[in-house]
Amino acid sequence: MVRPKGRLTPAAAPPEDRPLRLLVATTSNANFLHLIRSHYEANPNVELRFLDMAEHPGMKRLNGAAQRHIEHRLGGEPLFAHGVEQQLRPYLDWADTVFVDWCVAPAALFTVVDPGDTRIVVRLHSYEAFTRWPHMMDFSRVDDVVFVADHIRDLSVASIPGLGGEHAPRTHVIDNGMDLANFRRTKDPSTRFNLGLVGIGQVAKDPLWALTVLKQLRERDERYRLFLIGGEMGRPSNAAKAYARKLEKALKPLVEAGAVVRVGSTDDVPGALEDVGVILSTSVREGCHVGLMEGAASGAVPVVRDWPFFAGRENGAGTLYPAEWIVGSPDAAAERVLSLTASDESWRNAGKLATEHALTTWDWPVVRLDFDRLLFDR
């Protein structure tokens, strides 16, 4: 294991005599930053700058230089650190706090050089825990790591050496900031029999599990249908290609029979969810399933598979969501759907409870208070 280099100066406390200088950094993916940026751009106690490293040729080259980064972490490539210093030092000298979204190349680059007394905060969503990047970080130069769920923190701390020991950063769990109030809609009575799955682009989403649930429901009542919202499945590997072929074969007769509706990609997810009465999470693993949370906010009844990757552990789907949402098998999922959609009244009552939970737990007016505490508490 490479020894941590640490920092010469501890991170300074937030200033009391002027606005906090906050640098928000990422590369190419600002999907989860819109509310954070707009909130702090409007905050008179914050001076915010945004950095997308993909828009700067020099930083973009360094982001893509994984081999050089590895060699530097192993004690070589001094010119690599020099290049990072040239690119990042002006930002580090300006900022009081750097918030890096996604624990990938940009986050790792910020730990190549001593940040001085600038506080470094990194947010790790989920997939990064399965990549090389957290293992290329010098976490002794990171002050705080933010996770989107307890089970992702558990997994990361157990598998990433830099997150343990005397040089480890503080860790926090803060939900993704989402504008869920916009999803709250009035649903037509016929929507009660419509299941929805948001996002089928990865094998980990396991949409075949949803088809098993649908089959069981239609054996009892052919009014049940499944709406698939999102783009086609990516096929980066032979295993993914094989899964996609199996999925397409299973979908063909169901689409032809009208049992499955392929909505496809859409910029209007709230509108698409108007047609969904039951929202599914069928994944084998998730960080926080945003589509499920959005569906719950819309008034759809949540049915969540006990994600197998985390099932049986201290934290997982059953600690992120209310326990009654969780099912252990397609049989249990079908029974939950049948029970809660038995009447319009039971379905609407369950949907109302789901909306209330979503808006009081994950909506931005709630979550932003956690971000304020993270950034301003001394």
Side-chain angles (χ1 to χ4, degrees), residues 17 43 61 75-77 145 148 189 201 226 242 267 297 303-304 308 319 366:
D17 57 346
N43 188 326
R61 283 193 297 271
E77 271 287 1
V145 179
V148 297
L226 174 64
D267 293 328
V303 178
V304 182
T319 50
V366 178

Side-chain angles (χ1 to χ4, degrees), residues 250-304:
L251 281 174
K252 189 173 185 296
L254 293 169
V255 172
E256 292 174 351
V260 171
V261 178
R262 303 182 80 155
V263 178
S265 296
T266 177
D267 293 328
D268 184 17
V269 177
L273 285 169
E274 286 184 13
D275 294 324
V276 173
V278 177
I279 186 70
L280 301 177
S281 177
T282 63
S283 307
V284 295
R285 62 172 174 85
E286 286 283 354
C288 63
H289 194 166
V290 170
L292 187 282
M293 295 172 171
E294 292 171 343
S298 81
V301 175
V303 178
V304 182

Side-chain angles (χ1 to χ4, degrees), residues 190-200 205-215 217-218 221-229 247 250-251 254-255 257-264 272 275-282 303 337:
S190 63
T191 306
R192 168 161 56 117
F193 301 98
N194 294 345
L195 283 64
L197 183 61
V198 180
I200 60 168
K205 300 292 185 182
D206 200 9
L208 282 169
W209 200 89
L211 300 188
T212 302
V213 176
L214 178 68
K215 179 176 181 294
L217 290 170
R218 286 179 62 83
D221 190 332
E222 290 193 349
R223 287 178 292 179
Y224 288 103
R225 296 187 297 166
L226 174 64
F227 285 65
L228 297 177
I229 303 169
L247 176 63
L251 281 174
L254 293 169
V255 172
V260 171
V261 178
R262 303 182 80 155
V263 178
D275 294 324
V276 173
V278 177
I279 186 70
L280 301 177
S281 177
T282 63
V303 178
V337 173

Side-chain angles (χ1 to χ4, degrees), residues 54-362:
E55 297 177 354
H56 297 262
M59 294 184 191
K60 187 175 182 180
R61 283 193 297 271
L62 291 169
N63 276 339
Q67 183 64 36
R68 294 184 66 199
H69 196 144
I70 292 172
E71 291 176 5
H72 168 72
R73 288 287 286 137
L74 294 175
E77 271 287 1
L79 291 180
F80 179 77
H82 178 70
V84 176
E85 175 78 27
Q86 285 188 315
Q87 294 290 332
L88 295 186
R89 183 55 57 190
Y91 294 94
L92 289 167
D93 286 345
W94 173 83
D96 298 307
T97 298
V98 176
F99 180 89
V100 189
D101 205 23
W102 304 97
C103 190
V104 290
L109 285 182
F110 269 101
T111 71
V112 168
V113 297
D114 189 323
D117 65 355
T118 299
R119 182 184 178 194
I120 305 295
V121 182
V122 175
R123 181 163 64 171
L124 189 155
H125 289 262
S126 175
Y127 98 95
E128 306 102 290
F130 300 90
T131 72
R132 66 179 180 268
W133 287 110
H135 300 274
M136 295 168 64
M137 299 271 294
D138 184 351
F139 279 105
S140 70
R141 287 174 167 171
V142 176
D143 299 286
D144 302 87
V145 179
V146 176
F147 300 94
V148 297
D150 287 293
H151 60 279
I152 298 300
R153 176 163 64 178
D154 293 348
L155 171 67
S156 300
V157 171
S159 60
I160 300 168
L163 292 178
E166 62 177 316
H167 301 288
R170 296 177 292 267
T171 62
H172 315 263
V173 174
I174 302 178
D175 294 304
N176 262 326
M178 293 177 281
D179 180 14
L180 293 180
N182 185 45
F183 284 83
R184 192 172 195 166
R185 304 294 173 93
T186 301
K187 296 180 186 285
D188 187 88
S190 63
T191 306
R192 168 161 56 117
F193 301 98
N194 294 345
L195 283 64
L197 183 61
V198 180
I200 60 168
Q202 305 167 21
V203 173
K205 300 292 185 182
D206 200 9
L208 282 169
W209 200 89
L211 300 188
T212 302
V213 176
L214 178 68
K215 179 176 181 294
Q216 295 192 24
L217 290 170
R218 286 179 62 83
E219 288 174 353
R220 304 273 288 274
D221 190 332
E222 290 193 349
R223 287 178 292 179
Y224 288 103
R225 296 187 297 166
L226 174 64
F227 285 65
L228 297 177
I229 303 169
E232 298 297 315
M233 181 169 291
R235 306 179 184 188
S237 66
N238 289 334
K241 292 175 184 176
Y243 185 99
R245 287 193 296 268
K246 186 176 181 181
L247 176 63
E248 291 301 320
K249 183 178 179 180
L251 281 174
K252 189 173 185 296
L254 293 169
V255 172
E256 292 174 351
V260 171
V261 178
R262 303 182 80 155
V263 178
S265 296
T266 177
D267 293 328
D268 184 17
V269 177
L273 285 169
E274 286 184 13
D275 294 324
V276 173
V278 177
I279 186 70
L280 301 177
S281 177
T282 63
S283 307
V284 295
R285 62 172 174 85
E286 286 283 354
C288 63
H289 194 166
V290 170
L292 187 282
M293 295 172 171
E294 292 171 343
S298 81
V301 175
V303 178
V304 182
R305 181 186 187 181
D306 193 7
W307 305 322
F309 193 92
F310 298 102
R313 299 176 185 270
E314 182 178 356
N315 292 299
T319 50
L320 181 59
Y321 303 127
E324 62 268 21
W325 294 10
I326 312 303
V327 295
S329 67
D331 290 349
E335 288 303 317
R336 174 168 167 80
V337 173
L338 290 166
S339 172
L340 295 177
T341 61
S343 69
D344 185 81
E345 182 182 13
S346 63
W347 167 63
R348 290 193 185 278
N349 285 340
K352 181 180 178 181
L353 290 173
T355 296
E356 290 175 353
H357 183 83
L359 295 182
T360 57
T361 307
W362 306 306

